[in-house]
Coordinates of all heavy atoms in Angstrom, one line a residue:
M30 N 259.9 133.9 -18.9 CA 259.6 134.1 -17.5 C 260.9 134.6 -16.9 O 262.0 134.3 -17.2 CB 259.2 132.8 -16.9 CG 258.8 132.9 -15.5 SD 258.5 131.3 -14.6 CE 257.5 130.4 -15.7
C31 N 260.6 135.5 -15.9 CA 261.7 136.1 -15.2 C 261.6 135.9 -13.7 O 260.5 136.1 -13.2 CB 261.7 137.6 -15.5 SG 262.8 138.6 -14.5
L32 N 262.6 135.5 -13.0 CA 262.5 135.4 -11.5 C 263.4 136.5 -10.9 O 264.6 136.6 -11.2 CB 263.1 134.0 -11.1 CG 263.2 133.7 -9.6 CD1 261.8 133.7 -9.0 CD2 263.9 132.4 -9.4
Q33 N 262.8 137.2 -10.0 CA 263.5 138.3 -9.3 C 263.5 138.0 -7.9 O 262.4 137.6 -7.3 CB 262.8 139.7 -9.6 CG 262.8 140.1 -11.0 CD 262.0 141.3 -11.2 OE1 260.9 141.5 -10.7 NE2 262.5 142.2 -12.0
Q34 N 264.6 138.3 -7.2 CA 264.6 138.1 -5.7 C 265.3 139.3 -5.2 O 266.5 139.6 -5.5 CB 265.3 136.8 -5.4 CG 265.0 136.4 -4.0 CD 265.5 135.0 -3.7 OE1 266.4 134.5 -4.4 NE2 264.9 134.3 -2.7
A35 N 264.7 140.1 -4.3 CA 265.3 141.3 -3.7 C 264.5 141.6 -2.5 O 263.3 141.3 -2.4 CB 265.2 142.4 -4.7
P36 N 265.2 142.3 -1.5 CA 264.4 142.8 -0.3 C 263.5 143.9 -0.7 O 263.8 144.7 -1.6 CB 265.5 143.2 0.6 CG 266.8 143.4 -0.2 CD 266.6 142.6 -1.5
D37 N 262.3 143.9 0.0 CA 261.4 145.1 -0.3 C 261.8 146.2 0.6 O 262.9 146.2 1.3 CB 260.0 144.6 0.0 CG 259.7 144.2 1.4 OD1 260.5 144.5 2.3 OD2 258.6 143.7 1.7
S38 N 261.1 147.3 0.7 CA 261.4 148.5 1.4 C 261.6 148.3 2.9 O 262.2 149.0 3.6 CB 260.4 149.6 1.1 OG 259.1 149.2 1.5
S39 N 260.9 147.2 3.4 CA 261.0 146.9 4.9 C 262.2 146.0 5.2 O 262.5 145.7 6.3 CB 259.7 146.3 5.4 OG 259.6 145.0 4.8
G40 N 262.9 145.6 4.1 CA 264.1 144.7 4.3 C 263.7 143.2 4.2 O 264.6 142.4 4.3
R41 N 262.4 142.9 4.2 CA 262.0 141.5 4.0 C 262.3 141.0 2.6 O 262.2 141.7 1.7 CB 260.5 141.3 4.3 CG 260.1 141.6 5.7 CD 258.7 141.4 5.9 NE 258.0 142.4 5.1 CZ 256.7 142.6 5.1 NH1 255.9 141.9 5.9 NH2 256.2 143.5 4.3
Q42 N 262.7 139.7 2.5 CA 262.9 139.1 1.2 C 261.7 138.9 0.5 O 260.7 138.5 1.0 CB 263.6 137.8 1.4 CG 264.2 137.2 0.2 CD 265.4 138.0 -0.3 OE1 266.0 138.8 0.4 NE2 265.8 137.9 -1.6
K43 N 261.6 139.3 -0.8 CA 260.5 139.2 -1.6 C 260.9 138.5 -2.9 O 261.9 138.9 -3.5 CB 259.8 140.5 -1.9 CG 258.6 140.4 -2.8 CD 257.9 141.8 -2.9 CE 258.6 142.6 -4.0 NZ 257.9 143.8 -4.3
T44 N 260.2 137.4 -3.3 CA 260.5 136.7 -4.6 C 259.3 136.9 -5.5 O 258.2 136.7 -5.1 CB 260.7 135.2 -4.3 OG1 261.8 135.1 -3.4 CG2 261.0 134.5 -5.6
S45 N 259.6 137.4 -6.7 CA 258.5 137.6 -7.7 C 258.8 136.7 -8.9 O 260.0 136.6 -9.3 CB 258.5 139.0 -8.2 OG 258.2 139.9 -7.1
V46 N 257.8 136.1 -9.4 CA 257.9 135.4 -10.7 C 257.0 136.1 -11.7 O 255.8 136.2 -11.5 CB 257.4 133.9 -10.6 CG1 257.5 133.2 -11.9 CG2 258.3 133.2 -9.5
R47 N 257.6 136.7 -12.7 CA 256.8 137.4 -13.7 C 256.8 136.6 -15.0 O 257.8 136.2 -15.5 CB 257.5 138.8 -13.9 CG 257.5 139.6 -12.7 CD 257.6 141.0 -12.9 NE 257.7 141.7 -11.7 CZ 256.6 142.2 -11.1 NH1 255.4 142.1 -11.6 NH2 256.7 142.9 -9.9
Q48 N 255.6 136.3 -15.5 CA 255.5 135.5 -16.6 C 255.2 136.4 -17.9 O 255.3 137.6 -17.7 CB 254.3 134.5 -16.5 CG 254.6 133.5 -15.3 CD 253.5 132.6 -15.0 OE1 252.3 132.9 -15.4 NE2 253.8 131.5 -14.4
T49 N 255.0 135.8 -19.0 CA 254.8 136.5 -20.2 C 253.6 137.5 -20.0 O 252.7 137.3 -19.2 CB 254.5 135.6 -21.4 OG1 253.3 134.8 -21.1 CG2 255.7 134.7 -21.6
P50 N 253.5 138.6 -20.8 CA 252.5 139.6 -20.7 C 251.1 139.0 -20.7 O 250.2 139.5 -20.1 CB 252.7 140.5 -21.8 CG 254.2 140.4 -22.1 CD 254.5 139.0 -21.8
G51 N 250.9 137.9 -21.4 CA 249.5 137.3 -21.5 C 249.1 136.6 -20.2 O 248.0 136.4 -20.0
D52 N 250.1 136.2 -19.4 CA 249.8 135.6 -18.1 C 249.7 136.6 -17.1 O 250.4 137.6 -17.1 CB 250.9 134.6 -17.8 CG 251.0 133.4 -18.7 OD1 250.0 133.0 -19.3 OD2 252.1 132.9 -18.9
R53 N 248.8 136.4 -16.1 CA 248.6 137.5 -15.1 C 249.1 137.1 -13.7 O 248.8 137.8 -12.8 CB 247.1 137.8 -15.0 CG 246.6 138.5 -16.3 CD 245.2 138.9 -16.1 NE 244.3 137.8 -16.6 CZ 243.0 137.8 -16.6 NH1 242.4 138.9 -16.1 NH2 242.3 136.8 -17.0
L54 N 249.8 136.0 -13.6 CA 250.2 135.5 -12.3 C 251.5 136.0 -11.9 O 252.5 135.9 -12.6 CB 250.2 134.0 -12.3 CG 248.8 133.4 -12.5 CD1 248.9 131.9 -12.5 CD2 247.8 133.9 -11.6
L55 N 251.6 136.5 -10.7 CA 252.9 136.9 -10.1 C 253.0 136.5 -8.7 O 252.7 137.2 -7.7 CB 253.0 138.5 -10.2 CG 252.7 139.1 -11.5 CD1 252.5 140.6 -11.3 CD2 253.8 138.9 -12.4
P56 N 253.4 135.2 -8.4 CA 253.5 134.7 -7.1 C 254.6 135.5 -6.3 O 255.7 135.7 -6.9 CB 253.9 133.3 -7.2 CG 253.6 132.9 -8.6 CD 253.7 134.1 -9.4
E57 N 254.4 135.9 -5.1 CA 255.3 136.7 -4.4 C 255.4 136.2 -2.9 O 254.4 135.7 -2.4 CB 254.9 138.2 -4.3 CG 255.0 138.9 -5.6 CD 254.8 140.4 -5.5 OE1 254.9 140.9 -4.4 OE2 254.6 141.0 -6.6
Q58 N 256.6 136.2 -2.4 CA 256.8 135.8 -1.0 C 256.8 137.1 -0.1 O 257.5 138.0 -0.4 CB 258.2 135.1 -0.8 CG 258.4 134.5 0.5 CD 257.5 133.4 0.8 OE1 257.1 132.7 -0.1 NE2 257.2 133.2 2.1
L59 N 255.9 137.1 0.9 CA 255.8 138.3 1.7 C 256.2 138.0 3.1 O 255.4 137.5 3.9 CB 254.3 138.8 1.7 CG 253.7 139.0 0.3 CD1 252.2 139.3 0.5 CD2 254.4 140.2 -0.3
G60 N 257.4 138.1 3.4 CA 257.9 137.7 4.8 C 257.6 136.2 5.0 O 257.9 135.4 4.2
A61 N 256.9 135.9 6.1 CA 256.5 134.6 6.5 C 255.3 134.1 5.8 O 254.9 133.0 5.8 CB 256.4 134.4 8.0
E62 N 254.6 135.0 5.1 CA 253.3 134.7 4.4 C 253.5 134.9 2.9 O 254.3 135.7 2.5 CB 252.3 135.8 4.9 CG 250.9 135.5 4.5 CD 249.9 136.5 5.1 OE1 249.9 136.6 6.3 OE2 249.3 137.2 4.3
S63 N 252.9 134.1 2.1 CA 253.0 134.2 0.7 C 251.7 134.6 0.1 O 250.6 134.6 0.8 CB 253.5 132.9 0.1 OG 252.5 131.9 0.3
A64 N 251.7 135.0 -1.1 CA 250.5 135.4 -1.8 C 250.6 135.1 -3.3 O 251.7 135.0 -3.8 CB 250.3 136.9 -1.6
V65 N 249.4 134.9 -3.9 CA 249.4 134.9 -5.4 C 248.9 136.2 -5.8 O 247.9 136.8 -5.3 CB 248.4 133.7 -5.9 CG1 248.3 133.8 -7.4 CG2 248.9 132.4 -5.4
V66 N 249.7 136.8 -6.7 CA 249.4 138.2 -7.2 C 249.1 138.1 -8.7 O 249.8 137.5 -9.5 CB 250.6 139.1 -6.9 CG1 250.3 140.5 -7.4 CG2 250.9 139.1 -5.4
G67 N 248.0 138.7 -9.1 CA 247.6 138.8 -10.5 C 247.5 140.2 -10.9 O 247.5 141.1 -10.1
E68 N 247.4 140.4 -12.2 CA 247.2 141.7 -12.8 C 246.1 141.7 -13.8 O 246.0 140.8 -14.7 CB 248.5 142.2 -13.4 CG 248.4 143.6 -14.0 CD 249.7 144.1 -14.5 OE1 250.2 143.5 -15.5 OE2 250.2 145.0 -14.0
S69 N 245.2 142.6 -13.7 CA 244.1 142.8 -14.7 C 244.4 144.0 -15.5 O 244.7 145.1 -14.9 CB 242.7 142.9 -13.9 OG 241.7 143.2 -14.9
I70 N 244.3 143.9 -16.8 CA 244.6 145.0 -17.6 C 243.3 145.2 -18.4 O 242.8 144.4 -19.1 CB 245.7 144.8 -18.6 CG1 247.0 144.5 -17.8 CG2 245.9 146.0 -19.6 CD1 248.2 144.1 -18.7
G71 N 242.7 146.4 -18.2 CA 241.4 146.7 -18.9 C 240.4 147.3 -17.9 O 240.7 147.6 -16.8
P72 N 239.2 147.5 -18.4 CA 238.1 148.1 -17.5 C 237.8 147.3 -16.3 O 238.1 146.1 -16.2 CB 236.9 148.2 -18.5 CG 237.3 147.5 -19.7 CD 238.7 147.1 -19.7
Y73 N 237.3 148.1 -15.3 CA 237.0 147.4 -14.0 C 236.0 146.3 -14.1 O 235.9 145.4 -13.2 CB 236.6 148.5 -13.0 CG 237.7 149.5 -12.6 CD1 237.4 150.8 -12.3 CD2 239.0 149.1 -12.5 CE1 238.4 151.7 -11.9 CE2 240.0 150.0 -12.2 CZ 239.7 151.3 -11.9 OH 240.6 152.2 -11.5
D74 N 235.1 146.4 -15.1 CA 234.1 145.3 -15.2 C 234.7 143.9 -15.5 O 234.1 142.9 -15.4 CB 233.0 145.6 -16.2 CG 233.5 145.8 -17.6 OD1 234.7 145.6 -17.9 OD2 232.6 146.2 -18.5
G75 N 236.0 143.9 -15.8 CA 236.7 142.6 -16.0 C 237.3 142.0 -14.7 O 237.9 140.9 -14.7
L76 N 237.2 142.8 -13.6 CA 237.8 142.3 -12.4 C 237.2 141.0 -11.8 O 238.0 140.1 -11.4 CB 237.8 143.4 -11.3 CG 238.7 144.6 -11.6 CD1 238.5 145.7 -10.5 CD2 240.2 144.1 -11.6
P77 N 235.9 140.8 -11.9 CA 235.4 139.5 -11.4 C 236.0 138.3 -12.2 O 236.4 137.3 -11.6 CB 233.9 139.6 -11.7 CG 233.6 141.0 -11.6 CD 234.8 141.7 -12.2
E78 N 236.2 138.4 -13.5 CA 236.8 137.4 -14.3 C 238.3 137.2 -13.9 O 238.8 136.1 -13.8 CB 236.7 137.7 -15.8 CG 237.3 136.6 -16.6 CD 237.2 136.9 -18.1 OE1 236.6 137.9 -18.5 OE2 237.8 136.1 -18.9
A79 N 239.0 138.3 -13.7 CA 240.4 138.2 -13.3 C 240.5 137.5 -11.9 O 241.4 136.7 -11.8 CB 241.0 139.6 -13.2
W80 N 239.6 137.8 -11.0 CA 239.7 137.1 -9.7 C 239.4 135.6 -9.9 O 240.0 134.7 -9.3 CB 238.7 137.7 -8.7 CG 239.2 138.9 -8.0 CD1 238.9 140.2 -8.1 CD2 240.3 138.9 -7.0 NE1 239.6 141.0 -7.3 CE2 240.5 140.2 -6.6 CE3 241.0 137.9 -6.4 CZ2 241.4 140.6 -5.6 CZ3 242.0 138.2 -5.4 CH2 242.2 139.6 -5.0
S81 N 238.4 135.3 -10.7 CA 238.1 133.8 -11.0 C 239.3 133.1 -11.6 O 239.6 132.0 -11.2 CB 236.9 133.7 -12.0 OG 235.7 134.0 -11.3
D82 N 240.0 133.8 -12.5 CA 241.2 133.2 -13.1 C 242.3 133.0 -12.1 O 242.9 131.9 -12.1 CB 241.7 134.1 -14.3 CG 240.8 134.2 -15.5 OD1 239.8 133.3 -15.6 OD2 241.0 135.0 -16.3
L83 N 242.5 134.0 -11.3 CA 243.5 133.9 -10.2 C 243.2 132.7 -9.3 O 244.1 132.0 -8.9 CB 243.6 135.2 -9.5 CG 244.7 135.3 -8.4 CD1 246.0 135.6 -9.1 CD2 244.4 136.4 -7.5
M84 N 242.0 132.6 -8.8 CA 241.6 131.6 -7.9 C 241.6 130.2 -8.5 O 241.6 129.2 -7.8 CB 240.2 131.9 -7.3 CG 240.2 133.2 -6.5 SD 241.5 133.3 -5.2 CE 240.8 132.1 -4.0
A85 N 241.6 130.1 -9.8 CA 241.6 128.8 -10.5 C 243.0 128.3 -10.8 O 243.2 127.2 -11.4 CB 240.7 128.8 -11.7
T86 N 244.0 129.0 -10.5 CA 245.4 128.7 -10.9 C 246.0 127.6 -9.9 O 245.6 127.6 -8.7 CB 246.3 129.9 -10.9 OG1 246.4 130.4 -9.5 CG2 245.8 131.0 -11.8
P87 N 247.0 126.8 -10.4 CA 247.6 125.9 -9.5 C 248.4 126.5 -8.4 O 248.6 125.9 -7.3 CB 248.6 125.2 -10.5 CG 248.1 125.4 -11.9 CD 247.4 126.7 -11.8
N88 N 248.8 127.8 -8.5 CA 249.5 128.5 -7.5 C 248.7 128.6 -6.2 O 249.2 128.6 -5.1 CB 249.9 129.9 -7.9 CG 251.0 129.8 -9.0 OD1 251.8 128.9 -9.0 ND2 250.9 130.7 -9.9
I89 N 247.4 128.6 -6.3 CA 246.5 128.7 -5.1 C 246.6 127.4 -4.3 O 246.5 127.5 -3.1 CB 245.0 128.9 -5.6 CG1 244.8 130.3 -6.1 CG2 244.0 128.7 -4.4 CD1 245.0 131.5 -5.1
A90 N 246.9 126.3 -4.9 CA 247.0 125.0 -4.2 C 248.3 125.0 -3.3 O 248.4 124.1 -2.5 CB 247.1 123.9 -5.2
A91 N 249.2 126.0 -3.5 CA 250.4 126.1 -2.6 C 250.1 126.4 -1.2 O 250.9 126.4 -0.3 CB 251.4 127.0 -3.2
G92 N 248.8 126.8 -0.9 CA 248.5 127.2 0.4 C 247.0 127.4 0.6 O 246.2 127.1 -0.4
T93 N 246.5 127.9 1.7 CA 245.1 128.1 1.9 C 244.9 129.6 1.8 O 245.5 130.4 2.5 CB 244.7 127.7 3.3 OG1 245.1 126.3 3.5 CG2 243.3 127.9 3.6
P94 N 244.0 130.0 0.9 CA 243.6 131.4 0.7 C 243.1 132.0 2.1 O 242.3 131.4 2.8 CB 242.5 131.5 -0.3 CG 242.8 130.2 -1.1 CD 243.2 129.2 -0.1
T95 N 243.7 133.2 2.4 CA 243.3 133.8 3.7 C 242.8 135.2 3.3 O 243.0 135.7 2.3 CB 244.5 133.9 4.7 OG1 245.5 134.7 4.1 CG2 245.0 132.5 5.0
M96 N 242.2 135.8 4.3 CA 241.7 137.2 4.2 C 242.6 138.1 4.9 O 243.2 137.7 5.9 CB 240.3 137.3 4.7 CG 239.3 136.5 3.9 SD 239.3 136.8 2.1 CE 238.1 138.2 2.1
P97 N 242.7 139.4 4.6 CA 242.0 140.0 3.5 C 242.7 139.8 2.2 O 244.0 139.9 2.1 CB 241.9 141.5 3.9 CG 243.2 141.7 4.6 CD 243.5 140.4 5.3
C98 N 242.0 139.7 1.1 CA 242.6 139.9 -0.2 C 242.3 141.3 -0.6 O 241.5 142.0 0.0 CB 241.9 138.9 -1.2 SG 240.2 139.1 -1.4
W99 N 243.1 141.8 -1.6 CA 242.9 143.2 -2.0 C 243.3 143.5 -3.4 O 243.8 142.7 -4.1 CB 243.7 144.1 -1.0 CG 245.2 144.0 -1.1 CD1 246.0 144.7 -2.0 CD2 246.0 143.2 -0.4 NE1 247.3 144.4 -1.7 CE2 247.4 143.4 -0.8 CE3 245.8 142.2 0.6 CZ2 248.5 142.7 -0.2 CZ3 246.9 141.5 1.2 CH2 248.2 141.8 0.8
E100 N 242.9 144.7 -3.9 CA 243.1 145.2 -5.2 C 243.9 146.5 -5.1 O 243.6 147.3 -4.2 CB 241.9 145.5 -6.0 CG 241.0 144.2 -6.2 CD 239.6 144.5 -6.8 OE1 239.3 145.7 -6.9 OE2 238.9 143.6 -7.1
E101 N 244.9 146.6 -5.9 CA 245.7 147.9 -6.0 C 245.4 148.5 -7.4 O 245.7 147.9 -8.4 CB 247.1 147.7 -5.8 CG 248.0 148.9 -5.9 CD 249.5 148.7 -5.9 OE1 249.9 147.5 -5.7 OE2 250.2 149.7 -6.1
Y102 N 244.8 149.7 -7.4 CA 244.5 150.3 -8.7 C 245.7 151.1 -9.1 O 245.9 152.2 -8.7 CB 243.2 151.2 -8.5 CG 242.1 150.4 -8.0 CD1 241.8 150.4 -6.6 CD2 241.4 149.5 -8.8 CE1 240.7 149.6 -6.1 CE2 240.4 148.7 -8.3 CZ 240.1 148.8 -6.9 OH 239.1 148.0 -6.4
V103 N 246.5 150.5 -10.0 CA 247.8 151.0 -10.5 C 247.5 152.2 -11.4 O 248.1 153.3 -11.2 CB 248.6 149.9 -11.1 CG1 250.0 150.5 -11.6 CG2 248.8 148.8 -10.2
T104 N 246.7 152.0 -12.4 CA 246.3 153.1 -13.3 C 244.8 152.9 -13.5 O 244.3 151.8 -13.6 CB 247.0 153.1 -14.6 OG1 246.9 151.8 -15.2 CG2 248.4 153.6 -14.5
G105 N 244.1 154.0 -13.5 CA 242.6 154.0 -13.7 C 242.2 155.3 -14.3 O 243.0 156.0 -15.0
P106 N 240.9 155.7 -14.1 CA 240.4 156.9 -14.7 C 241.2 158.1 -14.5 O 241.3 159.0 -15.3 CB 239.0 157.0 -14.1 CG 238.7 155.7 -13.6 CD 240.0 155.0 -13.2
E107 N 241.8 158.2 -13.3 CA 242.5 159.4 -12.9 C 243.8 159.6 -13.7 O 244.4 160.7 -13.8 CB 242.9 159.4 -11.4 CG 243.9 158.5 -11.0 CD 243.5 157.0 -11.0 OE1 242.3 156.7 -11.1 OE2 244.4 156.1 -11.0
S108 N 244.2 158.5 -14.4 CA 245.5 158.6 -15.2 C 245.3 159.3 -16.5 O 246.3 159.6 -17.2 CB 246.0 157.2 -15.4 OG 245.2 156.5 -16.3
G109 N 244.0 159.4 -16.9 CA 243.8 160.1 -18.2 C 243.8 159.0 -19.4 O 243.5 159.4 -20.5
S110 N 244.2 157.8 -19.1 CA 244.2 156.8 -20.1 C 242.8 156.2 -20.3 O 242.0 156.3 -19.4 CB 245.2 155.7 -19.8 OG 244.9 155.1 -18.6
G111 N 242.6 155.5 -21.4 CA 241.3 154.8 -21.6 C 241.2 153.6 -20.8 O 242.2 153.0 -20.3
P112 N 240.0 153.0 -20.6 CA 239.7 151.8 -19.8 C 240.6 150.6 -20.3 O 241.0 149.8 -19.5 CB 238.3 151.6 -20.0 CG 237.7 152.9 -20.3 CD 238.7 153.6 -21.1
A113 N 240.9 150.5 -21.6 CA 241.7 149.4 -22.0 C 243.1 149.4 -21.4 O 243.8 148.3 -21.4 CB 241.8 149.4 -23.6
D114 N 243.6 150.5 -20.9 CA 244.9 150.6 -20.4 C 245.0 150.6 -18.8 O 246.0 150.7 -18.2 CB 245.6 151.9 -20.9 CG 245.8 151.9 -22.4 OD1 246.1 150.8 -22.9 OD2 245.7 152.9 -23.0
W115 N 243.8 150.5 -18.2 CA 243.8 150.5 -16.7 C 244.4 149.2 -16.2 O 244.2 148.1 -16.8 CB 242.4 150.6 -16.2 CG 241.7 151.9 -16.5 CD1 242.3 153.0 -17.1 CD2 240.3 152.2 -16.4 NE1 241.3 154.0 -17.3 CE2 240.1 153.5 -16.8 CE3 239.2 151.5 -15.9 CZ2 238.9 154.2 -16.8 CZ3 238.0 152.1 -15.8 CH2 237.8 153.4 -16.3
R116 N 245.2 149.3 -15.2 CA 245.9 148.2 -14.6 C 245.5 148.1 -13.1 O 245.6 149.0 -12.3 CB 247.4 148.4 -14.7 CG 247.9 148.5 -16.1 CD 249.4 148.7 -16.2 NE 250.2 147.5 -16.0 CZ 250.5 146.8 -17.1 NH1 250.2 147.1 -18.3 NH2 251.2 145.7 -16.8
T117 N 245.1 146.9 -12.7 CA 244.8 146.6 -11.3 C 245.5 145.4 -10.9 O 245.5 144.3 -11.5 CB 243.3 146.3 -11.2 OG1 242.5 147.4 -11.8 CG2 242.8 146.1 -9.8
T118 N 246.2 145.5 -9.7 CA 246.9 144.3 -9.1 C 245.9 143.6 -8.2 O 245.3 144.3 -7.3 CB 248.2 144.8 -8.4 OG1 249.0 145.5 -9.3 CG2 248.9 143.6 -7.8
L119 N 245.9 142.3 -8.2 CA 245.0 141.5 -7.4 C 245.9 140.7 -6.4 O 246.9 140.1 -6.9 CB 244.2 140.5 -8.2 CG 243.4 141.1 -9.4 CD1 242.8 140.0 -10.2 CD2 242.5 142.1 -9.0
V120 N 245.7 140.7 -5.1 CA 246.5 140.0 -4.2 C 245.7 139.1 -3.3 O 244.8 139.5 -2.6 CB 247.3 141.0 -3.3 CG1 248.2 140.3 -2.3 CG2 248.1 142.0 -4.1
Q121 N 246.0 137.8 -3.4 CA 245.4 136.8 -2.6 C 246.4 136.1 -1.6 O 247.2 135.3 -2.1 CB 244.7 135.7 -3.4 CG 244.1 134.6 -2.6 CD 243.0 135.0 -1.7 OE1 242.0 135.5 -2.1 NE2 243.3 134.9 -0.4
P122 N 246.4 136.5 -0.3 CA 247.4 135.9 0.6 C 247.1 134.4 0.8 O 245.9 134.0 0.7 CB 247.1 136.7 1.9 CG 246.5 138.0 1.5 CD 245.7 137.6 0.3
L123 N 248.1 133.7 1.1 CA 248.0 132.3 1.3 C 248.7 131.9 2.7 O 249.7 132.5 3.0 CB 248.7 131.4 0.3 CG 248.3 131.6 -1.2 CD1 249.2 130.9 -2.1 CD2 246.8 131.2 -1.3
A124 N 248.0 131.1 3.4 CA 248.6 130.6 4.7 C 249.4 129.4 4.5 O 249.1 128.6 3.6 CB 247.5 130.4 5.7

């Protein structure tokens, strides 16, 4: 596990916890608000399971999930890679 702490592009402090590649959780501090951030690797049809896994983690208990949650499509069909290599970031803000 690796803990990184650095200001983001807006100058706000952001803390990331990156776990082993098999774990998909990346808790991050976003200014006064925090979020649980996960990563799905593989085809988009695996996203519902990735969201379920994210919402079932102990990190969710650190706050109350708020809206909006979002997905960032890091790599996908436009990258020319196969579905097994697609990467999607899942972000669930917490109050």
Side-chain angles (χ1 to χ4, degrees):
M30 183 186 315
C31 169
L32 176 65
Q33 299 174 316
Q34 196 169 24
D37 65 13
S38 60
S39 69
R41 292 180 299 187
Q42 193 67 19
K43 180 173 83 171
T44 301
S45 297
V46 177
R47 300 199 180 269
Q48 299 177 337
T49 60
D52 295 332
R53 293 185 268 183
L54 298 181
L55 307 169
E57 294 189 14
Q58 187 68 29
L59 307 171
E62 191 175 300
S63 63
V65 176
V66 180
E68 183 175 63
S69 175
I70 300 172
Y73 294 147
D74 62 3
L76 290 174
E78 180 182 356
W80 276 109
S81 283
D82 291 348
L83 185 77
M84 297 305 288
T86 64
N88 292 326
I89 291 293
T93 302
T95 62
M96 296 304 275
C98 57
W99 66 89
E100 299 172 353
E101 176 186 356
Y102 305 101
V103 180
T104 50
E107 73 288 344
S108 69
S110 62
D114 296 322
W115 296 351
R116 300 176 81 90
T117 306
T118 301
L119 314 174
V120 182
Q121 176 60 67
L123 301 174

